[in-house]
Amino acid sequence: MKGTVLYGPRDIRFETRDDPKILESTDVIIKISAACVCGSDLWPYRGIQKVIEPTPMGHEYCGVVEEVGSAVKTVKPGQFVIGSFFASDNTCPHCQFGYHSSCQHATFVGDAQAEYLRVPLADGTLVATPEIPPEDLIPSLLTTSDVFGTGWFAADAANVKPGNTVVVVGDGAVGLSGILSAKQMGAGRIIAMSRNPSRQELAREFGATDIVTARGDDGVARIKELTGGIGADSVLECVGTQESMMQAIRSTRPGGFVGYVGVPHGVELKGEELFYAHVHLHGGPAPVRRYLPDLINLVLRGEINPGKVFDLVLPLNQVAEGYRAMDERRAIKALLKP
């Protein structure tokens, strides 16, 4: 088969690789129906996160089961399935508390930008749809594998409740998904921080009521101005930089919540400022598997269309262009079709 491999900064290749095989009795092999480029893939692509050897890429996926291991019980060949980017057994104490990405047997699924994929711990990781979905639903179903599930976790971790005032820091696909999630959870006011006109348009379509273009201290000042000097009840941090994290914390009212899902790079928090901020912090790699059944049902019922974050669709063999387009902010998110 062919798949995507990152060799170094901006050196992404689509090349022949070994076909995946069943290694454990709990494994499944799926034929990929759609995959995509994640914003977090850009950290190693840009050289900010070092790549020490050629590395297969891709962790968002959906597809049709081709082969199952002897111990697999809940999925079978021919089913359409969606999985999370961390394989999990769905039975350990951490999974039972809803933190599947901290599963005691968690394994990162990191080679999905390919024609076929091996998924470990398939019974705990994959969720099958009742039938093969129509083609037009596949982009939205794909988002439940990570980007929409991560946006949902950001809103959940930020304790979004009906009527809340919510701020979303970051206008990438995760931030936009966070806006959609906050809207679904009943937020009364959703303030999106964005400078990009096309992203602002989608943010409003997903439920944003206000747009703030300022960043840093100016951005915080504008949020305070919009909230009568109080700050937001819930803030979703969807970037992962020092500036975005501090912007999130300083935009939150005392007693409010920050849900942070941007992968941190160079973020350092000062204990004294946190002490006096009086905010709740909750974040980390999203336990997407916890939310998968409900998010899949929202998509299948036609209640949401998170697949609109894909503004670029490419054949899988043009994956390098997908990375370039997202790196240059010509695209919000690139969908890849084998």
Side-chain angles (χ1 to χ4, degrees):
M1 72 161 192
K2 287 197 169 183
T4 305
V5 180
L6 179 65
Y7 279 78
R10 293 181 170 77
D11 183 2
I12 195 91
R13 306 178 192 178
F14 188 67
E15 61 184 24
T16 299
R17 291 168 41 197
D18 293 338
D19 291 344
K21 299 184 183 304
I22 298 288
L23 301 179
E24 303 287 344
S25 61
T26 52
D27 289 351
V28 155
I29 305 297
I30 68 173
K31 183 177 183 180
I32 294 292
S33 298
C36 54
V37 181
C38 180
S40 65
D41 293 335
L42 298 181
W43 294 107
Y45 177 78
R46 290 168 172 161
I48 298 171
Q49 179 180 323
K50 286 187 177 180
V51 175
I52 57 176
E53 59 183 358
T55 304
M57 298 294 288
H59 56 266
E60 299 172 78
Y61 58 94
C62 59
V64 177
V65 176
E66 286 275 306
E67 184 181 357
V68 302
S70 60
V72 175
K73 298 176 181 176
T74 61
V75 295
K76 58 187 179 182
Q79 285 185 312
F80 185 90
V81 293
I82 303 145
S84 59
F85 51 94
F86 270 108
S88 57
D89 60 24
N90 205 19
T91 59
C92 82
H94 300 325
C95 288
Q96 293 302 298
F97 280 113
Y99 287 83
H100 298 73
S101 44
S102 290
C103 172
Q104 291 177 329
H105 302 103
T107 302
F108 187 64
V109 182
D111 50 356
Q113 291 164 2
E115 294 171 317
Y116 293 89
L117 173 70
R118 180 180 76 90
V119 181
L121 301 171
D123 282 336
T125 305
L126 298 172
V127 175
T129 56
E131 54 192 26
I132 300 292
E135 191 70 21
D136 62 340
L137 286 186
I138 286 181
S140 285
L141 290 170
L142 174 62
T143 66
T144 65
S145 175
D146 178 0
V147 62
F148 183 47
T150 296
W152 193 275
F153 175 57
D156 192 15
N159 197 43
V160 174
K161 301 293 183 187
N164 272 16
T165 294
V166 176
V167 168
V168 179
V169 181
D171 63 358
V174 171
L176 293 165
S177 297
I179 292 169
L180 182 59
S181 301
K183 179 68 175 177
Q184 285 290 308
M185 294 177 187
R189 188 179 194 183
I190 303 173
I191 304 169
M193 306 196 80
S194 171
R195 292 177 167 175
N196 184 296
S198 64
R199 297 176 189 222
Q200 292 171 5
E201 183 178 346
L202 186 54
R204 288 193 183 280
E205 184 177 343
F206 277 177
T209 55
D210 303 81
I211 301 291
V212 168
T213 58
R215 291 183 181 173
D217 291 342
D218 291 342
V220 173
R222 181 61 181 144
I223 296 298
K224 291 291 179 68
E225 183 181 348
L226 289 171
T227 56
I230 296 172
D233 302 306
S234 302
V235 179
L236 284 58
E237 193 288 313
C238 306
V239 181
T241 64
Q242 180 73 20
E243 180 184 60
S244 64
M245 192 67 180
M246 296 316 302
Q247 191 168 298
I249 292 170
R250 292 168 180 167
S251 297
T252 308
R253 66 165 172 80
F257 293 76
V258 176
Y260 61 101
V261 295
V263 180
H265 284 75
V267 176
E268 295 184 357
L269 303 181
K270 294 181 179 178
E272 186 175 358
E273 180 170 355
L274 278 181
F275 183 77
Y276 287 105
H278 252 151
V279 301
H280 301 76
L281 298 178
H282 184 190
V288 168
R289 178 60 180 84
R290 185 206 312 179
Y291 306 116
L292 264 181
D294 290 339
L295 300 187
I296 289 171
N297 283 334
L298 283 173
V299 171
L300 293 177
R301 291 197 299 265
E303 296 181 20
I304 55 173
N305 188 4
K308 287 189 173 182
V309 296
F310 295 114
D311 56 349
L312 178 64
V313 178
L314 294 168
L316 181 57
N317 62 10
Q318 294 182 28
V319 59
E321 169 56 17
Y323 276 79
R324 282 193 296 271
M326 288 179 60
D327 178 39
E328 296 165 5
R329 288 179 66 85
R330 289 186 282 112
I332 299 173
K333 194 168 179 70
L335 185 145
L336 306 168
K337 300 184 71 171

